């Protein structure tokens, strides 16, 4: 059974608390269930990162309703302890891998979160070892973070969250500063967490190929939700995405291009494999018919 | 550029590496006291010998050890010269124009050099070479924790130290990147007078400050997101325990100190 | 306007220390005059070192860097002049902005060359236009600009020096598709307008396919493949094997060919694929 994890209704938010004339978010309404794998897609300045920062209390909305992990973030008597409790549940990995690691040794950094929570020492040790194994960084436990690659640093940051045992992780453009190898490492790590441990994953990105891997894509443009659905549904309308200054996967463009020239093709491919299937099938039908 | 690591920790498995960092801080202090207790040739010989022994036990290669001494060679030569020429004594060895060298001068110059070398070696072997900066910070936090009673924010200081240590390599790398970027735009750091050179630092310092503030801001947010609320209610993954070896080392050091004091009585030659 | 050649270049970091790393190993290559050349490779393939050799920020351990046939290290004291001729935009260049206004920052390089006020003014305008910065932004502080705008301002700062060779390390890193296209188009435009040689270092094979004439593929400190765009993409299978992210379309073309569909070599854009598939459906 699905269980509601994030409930947002008509959220409005502005970066500058004194100046509400230029809202960054203009009425966001959405529900996300526990265990979902969601990509939030939008160009720079679309408001996608602002939305992410509302979810664990870094920013506050000035209008609307927002409940995350049972904590009502728009309640007038929201206390620091509530936010603290929320942050145990909802972890966040940021864009710059250098600016979120605190300690000079990898395992000490992973221990930082549970230490803040007051977890007993032996328990922290166990969690740290487990978290590093989960992200495949055990052999780097005693390394210095600044000698790691960008992708490795981000994996350490993920391990730091795992050790706090959250039920949701938000990736705020965590792959934007990485090379393709690092990007793949990070994506594979959080997909594994989603699949094997049922952790709710929200990835904020402007890379189409990353969004295409999620179960659900939410497109944000100009502070509003432009589209919300499975990747296949989203990419079926390339014009809409182009209006939001976003790309579509090349294979999707190709199929739409062929259709525009009158070729009959079934389905909405996202990967080259799917696209090859569709084209081969159409060619076969043509020779048979 | 990536090989910069502050506090030249040298990874090895030696008895000194295995000692508790808190104990090493205490040992280092005691060792320094010992060097100041030395008063005659025997004592200085003993302490010099002990330093060599320490190097051997710590399994740090000689080349690495000498790297610690290299930066202060100039100071050593300077103090040695001053001591050599300005110590007046009874046995005049050499005299030319206004320069006079006494036997006592030679003693005092040698003592001074030995004392400086031993000071540097002692602290670097007990502290920087065999103890990671982070262990050292933790040790200081733990040793100073009684000061919390007088409301000294010991944990916060230690956290600041840790973050500084964490970011020094990052910022060093960033500095060289910005320098290269501005060089590519025609800044020359080696040209012109003092004012011009100082001026050429502006294009480096401003971006560096801006980026440091940005980093600090982002780090603070990241720390808050990881439930950091200061030292209150915090636990530690590694709780250090003192072992028998730590106490054995302490006893040895105290015995060594006592030995030095004893030797002071049987001195011959020049005495400080 | 200028041709850049590397002859048997090797570069070793931390030579004669335990940390010795051979970043470049006997690299020889030529960047054609007036071309837009892409350099691609994994992190650690040596491409970032390569970039710093082009304008003399680093000196090769062995080998020669030739600009129009002349060794740039012939007179080491005059290396600064080489830096005016070979402009370098480093990764995340927006972090090097330091002046009070964007205008002053773009003017910084030309001022260091020693150009006249009028000349500087004109170059600032031209460079800003090339990267698509509106004139109204020029008098703003860098802090008031968005990330993408700052990036463009920083690139304009090097373009305003009007280098004969413009080298850019990951100019589009972290930008969204629109920001990426604006910048890469501006860079291409610079090459066309001034006749300068442009070198773009990137991780993205897709960007290379769209914007470069020639491509050099680096791997393990060596040149793995080089040549015209078509020639390099004809080795699509090999590129996949090196683990590079080839464009989706290239992978599709490979898959189709495996299944017996007639596809020409070197299909790397949607338009090329359309052209190749169209006749099959008629």
């Amino acid at each position: 059974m699905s269980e509601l994890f994030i409930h947002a209704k008509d959220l409005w938010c502005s970066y500058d608390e004194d100046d509400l004339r230029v809202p960054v978010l203009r009425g966001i309404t959405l529900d996300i269930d526990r265990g979902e794998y969601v990509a939030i897609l939008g160009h720079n300045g679309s408001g996608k990162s602002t939305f992410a920062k509302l979810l664990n209390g870094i920013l506050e909305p000035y209008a609307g309703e927002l409940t995350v992990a049972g904590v009502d973030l728009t309640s007038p008597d929201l206390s620091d302890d509530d936010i603290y409790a929320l942050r145990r549940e909802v972890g966040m990995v940021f864009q710059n891998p250098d600016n979120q690691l605190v300690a000079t040794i990898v395992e000490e950094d992973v221990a930082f979160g549970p230490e803040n929570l007051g977890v007993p020492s032996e328990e922290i040790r166990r969690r740290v070892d487990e978290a590093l194994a989960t992200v495949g960084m055990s052999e780097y436990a005693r390394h210095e973070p600044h000698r790691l690659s960008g992708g490795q640093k981000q994996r350490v940051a993920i391990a730091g969250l795992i050790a706090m045992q959250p039920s949701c992780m938000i990736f705020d453009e965590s792959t934007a500063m990485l090379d393709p190898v690092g990007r793949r490492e990070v994506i594979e790590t959080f997909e594994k967490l989603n699949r094997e441990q049922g952790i709710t994953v929200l990835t904020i990105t402007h890379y189409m190929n990353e969004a295409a891997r999620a179960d659900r894509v939410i497109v944000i443009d100009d502070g509003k939700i432009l589209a919300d659905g499975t990747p296949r549904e989203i990419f079926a309308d390339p014009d809409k995405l182009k209006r939001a200054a976003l790309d579509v996967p090349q294979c999707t463009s190709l199929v739409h291009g062929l259709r525009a020239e009158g070729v009959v093709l079934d389905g909405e491919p996202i990967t080259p494999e799917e696209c090859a299937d569709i084209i081969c099938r159409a060619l076969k039908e043509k020779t048979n018919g | 550029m990536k090989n910069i690591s502050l506090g030249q920790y040298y990874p090895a498995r030696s008895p000194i590496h295995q000692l508790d960092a808190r104990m090493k801080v205490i040992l280092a202090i005691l060792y320094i006291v010992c060097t100041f207790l030395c008063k005659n040739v025997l004592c200085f010989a003993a302490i010099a010998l002990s330093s060599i022994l320490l190097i051997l036990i710590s399994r740090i290669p000689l080349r690495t050890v000498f790297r610690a001494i290299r930066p202060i060679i100039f100071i050593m030569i300077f103090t040695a010269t001053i001591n050599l020429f300005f110590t007046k004594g009874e046995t005049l060895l050499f005299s030319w124009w206004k320069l006079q060298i006494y036997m006592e001068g030679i003693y005092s110059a040698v003592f001074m050099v030995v004392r400086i070398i031993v000071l540097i070696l002692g602290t670097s072997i007990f502290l920087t070479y065999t103890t990671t900066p982070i262990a050292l910070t933790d040790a200081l936090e733990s040793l100073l924790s009684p000061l919390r009673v007088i409301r000294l924010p010991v944990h916060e200081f230690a956290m600041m130290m840790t973050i500084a240590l964490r970011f020094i390599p990052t910022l060093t790398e960033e500095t060289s990147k910005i320098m290269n970027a501005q060089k590519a735009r025609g800044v020359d750091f080696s040209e012109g007078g003092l004012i011009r050179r100082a001026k050429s630092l502006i294009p480096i310092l401003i971006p560096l400050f801006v980026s440091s503030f940005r980093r600090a801001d982002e780090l603070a947010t990241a720390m808050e997101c990881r439930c950091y609320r200061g030292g209150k209610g915090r636990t530690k993954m590694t709780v250090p325990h003192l072992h028998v070896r730590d106490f054995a080392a302490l006893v040895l050091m105290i015995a060594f100190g006592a030995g030095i004091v004893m030797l002071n009585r049987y001195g011959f030659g020049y005495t400080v | 306007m200028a041709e850049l050649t590397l002859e048997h270049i090797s570069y070793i970091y931390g030579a004669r220390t335990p940390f010795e790393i051979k970043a470049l190993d006997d690299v020889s290559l030529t960047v054609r005059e007036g071309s837009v050349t892409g350099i691609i490779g994994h992190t650690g393939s040596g491409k970032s070192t390569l970039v710093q050799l082009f304008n003399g920020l680093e000196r090769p351990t062995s080998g020669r860097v030739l600009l129009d046939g002349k060794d740039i290290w012939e007179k080491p004291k005059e290396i600064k002049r080489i830096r005016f001729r070979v402009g370098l935009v480093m990764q995340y260049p927006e972090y090097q902005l330091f002046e009070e206004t964007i205008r002053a920052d773009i003017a910084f390089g030309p001022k260091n060359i020693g150009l006249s006020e009028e000349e500087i003014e004109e170059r600032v305008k031209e460079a800003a236009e090339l990267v698509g910065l509106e004139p109204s932004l020029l008098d703003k502080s860098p802090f008031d600009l968005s990330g993408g705008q700052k990036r463009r301002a920083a690139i304009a700062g090097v373009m305003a020096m009007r280098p004969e060779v413009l080298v850019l390390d990951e100019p589009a890193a972290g930008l969204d598709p629109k920001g990426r296209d604006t910048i890469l188009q501006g860079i291409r435009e610079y090459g066309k307008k001034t006749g300068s040689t442009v070198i773009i270092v990137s991780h993205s094979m897709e960007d290379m396919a769209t914007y470069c004439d020639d491509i050099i593929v680096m791997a393990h400190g060596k040149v793995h493949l080089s040549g015209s765009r078509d020639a390099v993409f004809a080795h699509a299978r090999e590129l996949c094997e090196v683990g590079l992210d080839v464009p989706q379309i290239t992978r599709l073309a490979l898959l189709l060919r495996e299944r017996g569909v007639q596809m020409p070599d070197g299909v790397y854009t949607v338009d090329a694929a359309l052209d190749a598939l169209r006749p099959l459906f008629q």
Side-chain angles (χ1 to χ4, degrees):
Chain A
M1 265 315 284
S2 59
E3 178 194 342
L4 193 61
F5 188 74
I6 295 169
H7 168 70
K9 197 173 164 199
D10 198 24
L11 272 184
W12 289 70
C13 179
S14 157
Y15 246 136
D16 189 349
E17 279 167 34
D18 304 320
D19 187 2
L20 303 181
R21 278 169 304 176
V22 266
V24 186
L25 293 184
R26 315 193 303 162
I28 297 275
T29 301
L30 58 81
D31 287 329
I32 290 173
D33 287 334
R34 197 176 279 273
E36 272 197 88
Y37 172 19
V38 182
I40 296 181
L41 195 62
H43 64 83
N44 292 346
S46 60
K48 61 186 191 303
S49 274
T50 309
F51 175 66
K53 290 193 172 79
L54 291 177
L55 298 178
N56 70 347
I58 300 174
L59 292 175
E60 281 172 46
Y62 65 81
E65 288 170 28
L66 179 62
T67 308
V68 180
V71 177
D72 183 359
L73 282 161
T74 39
S75 148
D77 39 43
L78 180 76
S79 69
D80 279 354
D81 286 336
D82 293 338
I83 290 193
Y84 185 78
L86 174 67
R87 286 178 179 166
R88 295 177 75 138
E89 287 294 312
V90 180
M92 200 165 210
V93 179
F94 296 88
Q95 183 178 28
N96 192 327
D98 274 318
N99 300 351
Q100 45 191 322
L101 302 183
V102 185
T104 51
I105 291 173
V106 166
E107 62 175 17
E108 299 271 350
D109 189 85
V110 177
F112 181 75
E115 284 179 343
N116 292 335
L117 298 177
V119 175
S121 301
E122 310 82 64
E123 170 74 7
I124 300 181
R125 181 77 255 174
R126 200 184 55 72
R127 286 194 194 182
V128 167
D129 292 342
E130 224 177 81
L132 282 172
T134 309
V135 301
M137 289 290 290
S138 297
E139 55 178 313
Y140 296 92
R142 302 290 304 162
H143 280 233
E144 293 171 41
H146 76 270
R147 286 175 204 252
L148 303 178
S149 73
Q152 290 173 328
K153 282 180 203 164
Q154 291 297 54
R155 273 149 71 201
V156 171
I158 297 174
L161 297 187
I162 298 175
M164 294 173 76
Q165 303 183 332
S167 52
C168 171
M169 286 191 199
I170 301 172
F171 294 84
D172 187 4
E173 302 202 52
S174 311
T175 58
M177 291 180 79
L178 306 180
D179 61 13
V181 177
R183 213 172 281 161
R184 214 172 302 143
E185 286 171 8
V186 170
I187 294 171
E188 278 166 9
T189 306
F190 66 60
E191 287 185 347
K192 185 173 137 192
L193 288 170
N194 174 260
R195 210 171 42 234
E196 292 173 6
Q197 305 190 12
I199 289 177
T200 314
V201 168
L202 255 73
T203 169
I204 319 290
T205 181
H206 55 245
Y207 292 111
M208 202 52 52
N209 297 338
E210 281 178 29
R213 301 172 66 133
D215 298 331
R216 176 176 166 197
V217 179
I218 296 168
V219 184
I220 293 189
D221 184 42
D222 200 17
K224 284 185 274 197
I225 291 180
L226 188 72
D228 181 348
T230 63
R232 225 166 284 281
E233 288 162 11
I234 299 291
F235 296 135
D237 192 351
D239 294 335
K240 198 176 196 177
L241 286 172
K242 275 179 194 143
R243 273 203 304 281
L246 293 166
D247 277 345
V248 282
Q250 284 186 324
C251 288
T252 317
S253 294
L254 176 69
V255 166
H256 281 264
L258 285 170
R259 263 190 210 135
E261 294 179 12
V263 178
V264 183
L265 293 166
D266 285 334
E268 288 298 333
I270 293 170
T271 64
E273 286 75 16
E274 292 168 1
C275 188
D277 285 344
I278 290 172
I279 289 173
C280 286
R281 214 183 309 137
L283 282 173
K284 204 178 276 169
E285 269 166 32
K286 189 175 172 291
T287 40
N288 293 345
Chain B
M1 237 20 229
K2 284 217 159 167
N3 291 320
I4 297 166
S5 60
L6 196 85
Q8 319 115 334
Y9 175 69
Y10 185 87
R13 284 188 70 85
S14 82
I16 299 183
H17 281 81
Q18 284 168 7
L19 289 179
D20 186 280
R22 291 168 298 174
M23 188 53 83
K24 279 191 269 192
V25 173
I26 295 168
L27 290 176
I29 294 170
L30 289 178
Y31 197 59
I32 292 169
V33 172
C34 285
T35 58
F36 282 99
L37 287 176
C38 289
K39 297 254 184 287
N40 60 32
V41 179
L42 263 184
C43 292
F44 275 105
I47 203 139
L49 211 69
S50 72
S51 282
I52 294 169
L53 217 63
L54 278 179
I55 296 175
L56 292 179
I57 297 174
S58 68
R59 292 196 193 142
I60 295 163
L62 274 180
R63 255 212 306 182
T64 315
V65 174
F66 284 123
R67 240 188 295 148
I69 298 173
R70 207 162 31 193
I72 50 143
I73 283 182
F74 175 75
I75 300 174
M76 275 181 352
I77 293 174
F78 182 73
T79 24
T81 325
I82 298 251
N83 275 288
L84 189 63
F85 292 111
F86 292 92
T87 312
K88 301 276 184 277
E90 286 158 11
T91 344
L92 185 67
L93 289 178
F94 173 84
S95 173
W96 176 75
W97 189 49
K98 280 185 180 167
L99 296 179
Q100 287 153 334
I101 295 178
Y102 293 88
M103 191 65 196
E104 286 78 0
I106 292 183
Y107 274 124
S108 136
V110 170
F111 285 2
M112 213 53 211
V113 168
V114 171
R115 191 172 272 167
I116 294 174
I117 291 180
V118 169
L119 265 179
I120 300 293
L121 283 187
T123 43
S124 43
I125 285 175
F126 279 121
L127 302 178
T128 50
Y129 279 141
T130 61
T131 320
T132 57
I134 194 83
L136 203 56
T137 311
D138 285 346
L140 288 173
E141 181 181 355
S142 157
L143 287 172
L144 295 177
S145 60
L147 296 180
R148 258 186 231 150
V149 181
I150 57 164
R151 291 180 170 245
L152 214 67
V154 178
H155 163 77
E156 280 69 18
F157 279 136
M159 183 51 84
M160 278 159 62
M161 264 292 283
T162 309
I163 291 172
L165 285 169
R166 156 74 187 80
F167 276 90
I168 282 170
T170 310
L171 289 178
T172 319
E173 210 173 305
E174 176 139 38
T175 310
S176 85
K177 257 188 212 155
I178 296 174
M179 268 176 88
N180 274 343
Q182 307 298 26
K183 265 194 210 162
R185 293 210 279 170
V187 177
D188 198 324
F189 302 106
S190 54
E191 213 174 60
L194 202 63
I195 294 176
R196 223 180 122 187
R197 278 196 208 190
K199 245 182 151 176
S200 72
L201 286 179
I202 295 174
I204 294 175
L205 291 181
I206 292 179
L208 198 60
F209 274 128
V210 172
S211 112
S212 304
F213 281 120
R214 184 176 42 84
R215 283 182 195 281
D217 194 41
E218 288 184 25
L219 184 71
T221 309
M223 284 170 74
E224 276 182 28
C225 286
R226 292 168 75 182
C227 295
Y228 181 69
R229 306 199 275 192
K232 234 165 113 192
R234 253 187 133 237
T235 47
K236 284 253 168 199
M237 175 171 66
T238 36
V239 183
H241 294 289
L242 290 173
H243 294 88
V244 180
R245 57 171 180 256
D246 295 305
F247 292 107
L250 183 65
V251 170
L252 266 176
M253 183 58 82
I254 291 171
F256 179 69
I260 294 279
V261 173
M262 299 281 278
L263 281 179
N264 273 333
R265 290 212 246 152
Y266 307 104
F268 59 86
Y270 174 76
T271 309
V272 183
Chain C
M1 267 193 305
E3 183 185 82
L4 199 59
T5 305
L6 302 192
E7 277 183 2
H8 303 291
I9 291 281
S10 292
Y11 189 90
I12 299 171
Y13 279 105
R16 287 184 298 279
T17 69
F19 303 106
E20 190 174 292
I21 297 167
K22 203 162 200 176
L24 292 174
D25 185 9
D26 194 26
V27 170
S28 296
L29 56 88
T30 301
V31 178
R32 273 192 309 127
E33 185 177 330
S35 69
V36 177
T37 297
I39 299 181
I40 192 166
H42 288 304
T43 309
S45 63
K47 59 187 176 16
S48 287
T49 313
L50 206 56
V51 164
Q52 302 196 21
L53 290 172
F54 285 149
N55 77 337
L57 275 175
E58 299 283 354
R59 200 172 173 165
T61 314
S62 66
R64 298 198 303 163
V65 182
L66 304 175
L67 183 60
D68 276 339
K70 273 182 85 178
D71 189 347
I72 65 166
W73 286 100
E74 203 172 57
K75 291 179 191 145
K77 281 196 179 144
E78 291 182 12
I79 198 69
K80 195 172 150 186
R81 281 217 201 121
I82 297 296
R83 295 197 189 128
F84 292 142
R85 295 180 59 196
V86 182
L88 172 62
V89 180
M90 313 256 290
Q91 262 183 48
Y92 298 101
E94 56 271 34
Y95 296 141
Q96 77 198 27
L97 301 176
F98 71 99
E99 292 275 16
E100 277 173 55
T101 65
I102 292 298
R103 184 190 304 278
D105 215 288
I106 299 177
F108 181 67
K111 222 186 260 170
N112 283 331
I113 300 180
L115 299 173
S116 70
E117 288 288 328
E118 302 85 67
E119 177 85 26
I120 292 176
E121 179 63 21
E122 198 210 312
R123 287 211 181 173
V124 169
K125 234 199 232 155
E126 185 198 60
E129 203 177 309
L130 274 172
V131 295
L133 279 180
E134 291 124 49
S136 62
L137 291 174
L138 287 180
D139 292 308
K140 287 200 170 178
S141 154
F143 298 109
D144 296 334
L145 266 56
S146 75
Q149 287 169 332
K150 274 191 259 186
R151 175 82 55 91
R152 281 184 258 161
I155 293 175
V158 177
M159 283 182 178
M161 296 166 74
R162 217 174 277 168
E164 296 156 55
V165 182
L166 177 63
V167 187
L168 305 105
D169 192 356
E170 294 280 354
L175 295 181
D176 60 16
K178 199 177 163 201
R180 176 198 66 202
D181 288 338
T182 316
I183 279 184
L184 292 174
Q185 263 156 21
I187 292 167
R188 236 198 118 85
E189 191 62 32
Y190 172 83
K192 224 188 268 166
K193 205 164 171 183
T194 59
S196 302
T197 310
V198 175
I199 300 174
I200 302 174
V201 176
S202 169
H203 286 304
S204 165
M205 220 47 194
E206 235 167 284
D207 292 352
M208 298 265 149
T210 322
Y211 294 99
C212 298
D213 309 318
D214 293 350
I215 296 175
I216 297 168
V217 181
M218 298 288 298
H220 312 295
K222 286 180 194 272
V223 175
H224 188 78
L225 271 176
S226 76
S228 71
R229 169 167 57 173
D230 288 343
V232 168
F233 272 103
H235 292 88
R237 181 155 301 280
E238 216 173 306
L239 294 173
C240 290
E241 278 159 14
V242 191
L244 287 170
D245 276 346
V246 297
Q248 264 202 339
I249 285 292
T250 310
R251 265 195 290 153
L252 173 69
L254 281 174
L255 282 171
L256 287 175
R257 210 173 324 159
E258 268 171 26
R259 300 193 185 181
V261 180
Q262 289 227 322
M263 291 291 279
D265 268 352
V267 172
Y268 42 78
T269 60
V270 175
D271 288 338
L274 273 175
D275 289 342
L277 287 170
R278 198 176 292 124
L280 301 178
F281 281 105
Q282 268 156 16

